[in-house]
Amino acid sequence: MGSIMTDSTIFSYRYLAVVNMITLGTELCSSAAFSYLPPLLLEAGFSESGMSTVMAMGPFMALFLLPVMGTSSDRCQSRFGRRRPYIAFLSIGIILSLTLLPNTKAITAYFTPYFPEKQFGLVLLAACVILLDFCSQVCYTPIESLLSDPCKTETQRNRSFGIFSLMMSLGACLGYWVVSVDWNNTLLGYYFGGQERTLFNLLLILFTLSFLISTYFAYDPPLLDAVPKDIAEATTANARPTVNGNAALKTANGKAMTTVPMPILATSKALPFRIASKISVKNVCSSLFSYIPTCSPKIDFSPIVDTLEGIRTMPKAMKTLWIAHLTTSTAVMGFRLYFTDYMGESIFSGNPDALDGSPVKRAYEEGIRMGSFGLLLHSIISAVFSLAIGAVITTWGAVRTYIFGMALFTLATFIMLFMDGIVFTLLLASLTGFANATITTVPYTLLTGYHQKKELYYQDSNDADAHGKGADLALLDSAYILSEVISSFAFGVIVEITKTTGAYIACSFACGLASCFLVLRIK
């Protein structure tokens, strides 16, 4: 990639596609696993409310930890960069959960002499689902920060997050396709031992490859090599002494360390993430946990305090964007989480609690595969729109583009409430892909624009510099994650009360309608 990283290199389509391989892999796991896991939890013995509670636990945990991780990544002093250590740590969590999920029955059988089989199996399955959900949701924040860090112009923002949205859509396409295929009658199914094991082994292989490729080639200079503005944002929360007139950072032991602003340059040796020769468990852990309280009488709660302060002092422009992003994401997230269950029970009249091999159980399984195909169409439309969304934003503006996506989503879910034909439902599901492309692109381009014009958008903030880019992206992602908590728990409770999975679509429509009005308030 050359000895010097210039803007033309960093914002080339080839580089952005390679770096966003981790985006593709993470969305691949999220899409495949979370269209397959709700039915899996129901079949394992969870009730609708129990299943929704398990699905909500991962994002609920992420909701509290995500802003802390965003703030600490802004200040991370690892020689591997500010963002890549966090991506690596969370990716390991995803790999671990994908390894355990298809083996929960074997692990349960091994521990049966020591624990009640059914209870232990349910707890283990729930723990694996929560780990996968938590890591896959939180992993997006350091990826978004990695893309946002070098952006200076609107064109660069639109291109970076347009490719981000495209790779998310392609990952979703691949994930939903993997779920929709009947692997039992294939060579891979015979080799891995059935549908479930084939599915999770494919996810494990594809995600691991995407993780290694992205982290190897991603350009993520250490904090001392970042541009001066980023250094200022990352260190505002610390008391910054000076050494010989230069700004100094505080190290973990409290000593001052001089920072010398450098241009964004990198040799070919510094560019790759040389896992085999450079990385070690000690280095990664020290960079990740330098802000976690140690076992001493003086416990440092500064990351949590800084996070709460960041939420309290959130500028008005960002508060408006945060609320709109919460509502739009709740609508789309609820639809994506439960569309397969809706197809299996409402459209195909199946029953997940029926005996294996019975007609209603086969109907439910066929509905799950057909629902995954509908979400595949949803993701294809999202991917196609992502290719053009940068030009659409330039022509229409960010807010109008946002409204366009959510208006189509609201119309599609409204019609779906009254039309239950299989083909027509799948066509309506494809239209919701426009909304998915907008919620994964527009909010982040807007926030990056806010940071480039803080004097305009953050003028009501007492200390605009206290809002680092990584911290604010984490706060924006917390809205996305909170939307999963709401849609996972509240939608499931409503379905249990109404006794119909059609309530999933009704809830998505209601949130979509509300979001159209909230988006209009965005600056």
Side-chain angles (χ1 to χ4, degrees):
M1 299 183 67
S3 60
I4 295 179
M5 290 293 290
T6 62
D7 281 355
S8 60
T9 303
I10 294 174
F11 297 103
S12 66
Y13 287 112
R14 182 176 65 176
Y15 171 79
L16 291 173
V18 169
V19 171
N20 274 291
M21 285 297 294
I22 184 64
T23 305
L24 183 148
T26 304
E27 186 63 21
L28 162 69
C29 295
S30 296
S31 302
F34 297 111
S35 62
Y36 186 81
L37 287 177
L40 181 65
L41 291 169
L42 292 173
E43 292 173 1
F46 285 93
S47 64
E48 289 280 354
S49 59
M51 176 269 292
S52 61
T53 300
V54 171
M55 296 296 293
M57 284 301 297
F60 182 76
M61 292 167 55
L63 186 63
F64 292 96
L65 295 177
L66 180 63
V68 175
M69 296 184 71
T71 302
S72 60
S73 74
D74 280 337
R75 307 169 185 171
C76 180
Q77 299 171 20
S78 168
R79 64 192 179 96
F80 298 111
R82 290 186 289 172
R83 318 300 182 185
R84 287 187 300 187
Y86 291 84
I87 295 173
F89 178 72
L90 294 166
S91 296
I92 291 172
I94 295 175
I95 291 171
L96 178 62
S97 61
L98 292 175
T99 304
L100 292 176
L101 272 168
N103 297 296
T104 52
K105 293 180 181 178
I107 297 172
T108 301
Y110 180 80
F111 285 99
T112 297
Y114 310 101
F115 301 99
E117 180 177 359
K118 184 174 179 61
Q119 287 82 354
F120 181 79
L122 293 178
V123 170
L124 179 60
L125 179 60
C128 292
V129 170
I130 292 169
L131 177 63
L132 177 59
D133 202 357
F134 171 80
C135 292
S136 60
Q137 293 300 331
V138 175
C139 195
Y140 287 117
T141 298
I143 297 171
E144 292 156 0
S145 299
L146 187 67
L147 295 173
S148 179
D149 286 338
C151 291
K152 304 181 187 69
T153 66
E154 181 180 0
T155 301
Q156 292 172 349
R157 297 197 308 268
N158 292 343
R159 176 175 291 192
S160 294
F161 286 103
I163 298 299
F164 173 80
S165 179
L166 171 64
M167 296 300 277
M168 282 191 73
S169 300
L170 291 177
C173 289
L174 187 56
Y176 292 131
W177 175 79
V178 168
V179 176
S180 65
V181 173
D182 185 0
W183 296 104
N184 288 316
N185 300 318
T186 64
L187 183 62
L188 282 176
Y190 175 78
Y191 178 78
F192 286 117
Q195 176 78 10
E196 183 177 310
R197 295 184 66 85
T198 303
L199 171 65
F200 284 104
N201 277 288
L202 284 175
L203 294 180
L204 177 61
I205 293 169
L206 293 173
F207 176 79
T208 302
L209 288 175
S210 66
F211 157 63
L212 293 176
I213 292 171
S214 286
T215 50
Y216 187 87
F217 288 104
Y219 174 64
D220 183 25
L223 181 61
L224 297 185
D225 293 344
V227 294
K229 182 179 178 182
D230 288 341
I231 294 176
E233 288 183 352
T235 59
T236 298
N238 289 344
R240 290 183 294 171
T242 59
V243 178
N244 296 329
N246 293 321
L249 296 175
K250 280 187 177 180
T251 59
N253 59 10
K255 295 180 179 179
M257 179 173 60
T258 306
T259 66
V260 181
M262 299 174 64
I264 301 182
L265 301 176
T267 64
S268 57
K269 291 183 179 180
L271 175 63
F273 193 34
R274 299 187 180 279
I275 298 174
S277 61
K278 290 186 176 182
I279 196 168
S280 68
V281 174
K282 181 179 179 180
N283 289 334
V284 172
C285 291
S286 63
S287 66
L288 285 173
F289 300 113
S290 58
Y291 294 95
I292 293 181
T294 57
C295 297
S296 62
K298 295 182 179 180
I299 299 178
D300 181 13
F301 290 104
S302 61
I304 298 176
V305 173
D306 292 343
T307 298
L308 295 176
E309 183 67 13
I311 295 174
R312 188 185 69 81
T313 61
M314 193 185 295
K316 183 178 179 181
M318 188 177 171
K319 284 181 181 177
T320 305
L321 178 62
W322 192 91
I323 294 171
H325 190 46
L326 171 64
T327 314
T328 56
S329 298
T330 301
V332 178
M333 180 64 72
F335 180 84
R336 291 179 60 189
L337 275 176
Y338 296 120
F339 181 69
T340 53
D341 191 35
Y342 165 75
M343 288 289 289
E345 294 194 49
S346 292
I347 304 300
F348 280 78
S349 302
N351 186 353
D353 299 323
L355 295 175
D356 290 339
S358 63
V360 287
K361 185 59 174 289
R362 288 199 300 268
Y364 181 76
E365 292 172 347
E366 182 61 24
I368 294 300
R369 286 193 289 271
M370 193 59 67
S372 297
F373 181 73
L375 292 174
L376 171 61
L377 297 176
H378 157 101
S379 300
I380 291 173
I381 294 297
S382 178
V384 172
F385 188 52
S386 297
L387 290 171
I389 197 167
V392 174
I393 292 173
T394 302
T395 304
W396 289 3
V399 174
R400 289 182 180 178
T401 304
Y402 212 167
I403 282 289
F404 169 74
M406 293 313 302
L408 275 181
F409 177 90
T410 305
L411 178 63
T413 50
F414 177 74
I415 298 174
M416 203 178 293
L417 290 172
F418 304 99
M419 306 289 289
D420 58 0
I422 296 174
V423 175
F424 199 67
T425 300
L426 294 178
L427 290 175
L428 291 172
S430 68
L431 290 179
T432 62
F434 288 98
N436 186 66
T438 56
I439 68 169
T440 55
T441 305
V442 177
Y444 302 102
T445 60
L446 284 169
L447 182 59
T448 304
Y450 292 169
H451 271 262
Q452 291 172 358
K453 297 181 179 178
K454 280 190 172 182
E455 68 282 356
L456 176 63
Y457 293 104
Y458 285 11
Q459 58 183 337
D460 59 321
S461 175
N462 294 328
D463 187 6
D465 288 335
H467 294 271
K469 190 179 294 182
D472 278 2
L473 282 169
L475 289 174
L476 189 61
D477 276 342
S478 70
Y480 183 83
I481 290 175
L482 180 58
S483 74
E484 187 177 344
V485 176
I486 294 172
S487 58
S488 296
F489 184 73
F491 285 25
V493 171
I494 293 173
V495 166
E496 188 137 327
I497 293 173
T498 60
K499 306 298 181 183
T500 173
T501 53
Y504 288 137
I505 306 301
C507 291
S508 295
F509 162 72
C511 292
L513 183 63
S515 70
C516 290
F517 294 99
L518 292 171
V519 170
L520 290 173
R521 300 176 59 191
I522 296 175
K523 291 184 179 180

